[in-house]
Amino acid sequence: MSDIRVFAAGSLRIVWPELMRQFKLQNRHTVTTDFGPAGLLLQRIEQGEPCHLFASANSAHPQRLFDAGRALTTRIFTHNSLCLSISPSLAAEKREWLDMLLDPSLRVATSTPLSDPSGDYAWELFELIEASHPTRGDELKRRAMPLVGGPESPAVPAGKVAASWLLESGQADLFIGYQSYSPLLKAEGKVVILPIPAPWQIQADYTFALCSREAEALGEFLLSKEAKALFHRAGFGR
């Protein structure tokens, strides 16, 4: 039996226990996982911390390790997308998602760009908005508050989802985050989820970097039909 050390994007935390339970039924490996914003995890690997497999919320970070000779291969293993979380009172106004996002009186929160891919994807959304609504996307970049996922960001309280925590605590009126949190947020019933339609949607390609042969079996499992079904059930894309 060998131990596999994994660094994994924080958004995988909700599905990872079931994935590892199924993986362990088929393998004798023990998996130890550190979760966090993928950009910050990448820095730790580049600074020399041991990691056998890095599961990132984007393709750029694993590719950087591969280009530097720190990874044997990279593979996309699941997908995610963006959505808006808003309060029930704001949802009662029946406004379009873009109208609310562009309203300067509403406070928009995101994850932290560069440190957390979710923040990078939010900035990509702002660029799409800028292309069709000149000055408005750039205005969003100035207004948006990167409240989570950064090196100095306060930790989201245990058992809480960032979106509901930020809205309930009055820190923001809208949060741009991952669609994969929708099942948890809907179960909580404290925020309303608005999907972002296809013309504006940003696809997040979750990619792993295989940094050691010791993690080959885990990499193969993450690409399996069984794992894909678990991801889909947890709110990730196919």
Side-chain angles (χ1 to χ4, degrees):
M1 182 184 298
S2 59
D3 184 69
I4 299 172
R5 188 173 187 198
V6 173
F7 282 6
S11 50
L12 291 169
R13 192 189 301 268
I14 54 178
V15 68
W16 204 253
E18 181 59 21
L19 283 167
M20 294 305 97
R21 189 182 75 82
Q22 293 297 327
F23 175 69
K24 200 165 184 178
L25 290 176
Q26 306 170 21
N27 298 269
R28 293 178 56 80
H29 301 285
T30 298
V31 179
T32 302
T33 306
D34 284 6
F35 295 100
L40 300 184
L41 294 176
L42 173 66
Q43 291 178 15
R44 290 170 58 184
I45 297 170
E46 291 179 327
Q47 290 166 4
E49 286 196 49
C51 173
H52 298 131
L53 185 140
F54 172 41
S56 178
N58 67 7
S59 294
H61 293 154
Q63 186 63 41
R64 189 157 130 184
L65 292 179
F66 180 78
D67 291 344
R70 292 176 175 268
L72 302 172
T73 188
T74 68
R75 295 290 299 276
I76 295 173
F77 62 93
T78 194
H79 304 279
N80 214 335
S81 55
L82 296 179
C83 66
L84 289 187
S85 296
I86 62 176
S87 67
S89 59
L90 188 55
E93 298 180 13
K94 305 293 185 182
R95 297 166 64 183
E96 292 291 328
W97 71 276
L98 187 55
D99 176 60
M100 286 188 288
L101 200 56
L102 295 179
D103 185 341
S105 71
L106 297 177
R107 297 164 300 162
V108 179
T110 70
S111 292
T112 303
L114 300 181
S115 295
D116 188 337
S118 176
D120 297 327
Y121 295 133
W123 255 244
E124 287 185 38
L125 172 62
F126 299 159
E127 289 170 6
L128 285 179
I129 292 171
E130 177 65 19
S132 59
H133 296 70
T135 75
R136 305 305 299 278
D138 288 342
E139 178 189 328
L140 266 169
K141 290 180 182 179
R142 292 190 294 270
R143 283 174 44 218
M145 304 180 294
L147 297 182
V148 294
E152 306 299 328
S153 300
V156 177
K160 290 283 189 178
V161 179
S164 56
W165 173 60
L166 292 172
L167 269 58
E168 287 180 73
S169 59
Q171 299 179 63
D173 300 303
L174 305 94
F175 180 73
I176 303 174
Y178 287 130
Q179 181 70 32
S180 58
Y181 285 107
S182 293
L184 280 179
L185 292 168
K186 288 176 180 177
E188 286 183 355
K190 296 177 180 178
V191 302
V192 174
I193 308 300
L194 296 182
I196 296 175
W200 306 92
Q201 188 53 256
I202 307 294
Q203 178 172 282
D205 294 328
Y206 280 57
T207 305
F208 68 73
L210 181 68
C211 302
S212 169
R213 295 287 181 197
E214 294 177 65
E216 280 186 324
L218 178 57
E220 291 173 4
F221 173 75
L222 291 175
L223 297 171
S224 69
K225 290 183 179 179
E226 182 180 13
K228 289 183 184 302
L230 291 173
F231 280 120
H232 184 64
R233 196 178 309 153
F236 291 81
R238 291 190 182 278

